[in-house]
């Protein structure tokens, strides 16, 4: 189950790198605006905020990835702590999105499913 948890964590990290790209690099593009449901004016107005938020997503992905590498290198305790910190923060952010903006439930579920499954699988694997 540890392997399954790490795979799910890696997939969550990849998703958050993709979110970083959209928020920090392509925020004002028509495709990204369609994904987030923003107009050209809204995207331009919120560009600096999205840029910063995108980096939060990138940093969470980096923390989870460093943890995955640490576990794979035999440093299970440190690696698991980093993976839990990264994907735990991803799951918590998804919950905040769901509770603060119920109309964005689809985005929250998309953002939170892989991290929650990763947490569960990694916990089961580590507790065996």
């Amino acid at each position: 189950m540890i392997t399954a948890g790490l795979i799910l964590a890696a997939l969550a990290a990849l998703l958050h790198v993709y979110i970083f790209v959209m928020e920090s690099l392509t925020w004002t593009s028509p495709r990204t605006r369609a994904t987030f449901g923003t107009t050209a004016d809204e995207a331009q107005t919120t560009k600096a905020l999205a840029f910063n938020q995108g980096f939060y997503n990138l940093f969470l992905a980096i923390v989870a990835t460093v943890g995955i590498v640490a576990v794979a290198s035999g440093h299970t305790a440190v690696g698991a702590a980093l993976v839990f910190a990264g994907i735990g923060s991803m799951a918590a952010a998804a919950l905040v999105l769901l509770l603060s903006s119920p109309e964005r439930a689809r985005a929250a579920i998309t953002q939170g499913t892989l991290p929650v499954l990763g947490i569960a699988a990694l916990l089961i694997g580590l507790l065996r």
Side-chain angles (χ1 to χ4, degrees), residues 19-28 32 36 42-43 45-57:
I19 294 168
F20 155 75
V21 168
M22 288 191 297
E23 291 177 339
S24 295
L25 305 178
T26 65
W27 184 248
T28 57
T32 298
F36 286 91
E42 291 169 334
T45 301
T46 59
K47 187 176 180 177
L49 294 171
F51 182 79
N52 188 50
Q53 183 171 310
F55 273 90
Y56 274 93
N57 284 297

Side-chain angles (χ1 to χ4, degrees), residues 30-121:
R31 183 172 179 212
T32 298
R33 285 190 295 106
T35 299
F36 286 91
T38 58
T39 66
D41 287 340
E42 291 169 334
Q44 194 58 45
T45 301
T46 59
K47 187 176 180 177
L49 294 171
F51 182 79
N52 188 50
Q53 183 171 310
F55 273 90
Y56 274 93
N57 284 297
L58 177 63
F59 298 146
L60 292 176
I62 290 169
V63 168
T65 301
V66 170
I68 292 165
V69 170
V71 171
S73 300
H75 303 283
T76 305
V78 170
L82 289 170
V83 173
F84 283 131
I87 66 175
S89 295
M90 293 173 191
L95 181 61
V96 168
L97 178 60
L98 180 63
L99 295 176
S100 65
S101 300
E103 69 278 5
R104 298 192 187 276
R106 181 173 179 245
I109 291 166
T110 299
Q111 173 183 320
T113 299
L114 289 169
V116 168
L117 293 174
I119 290 166

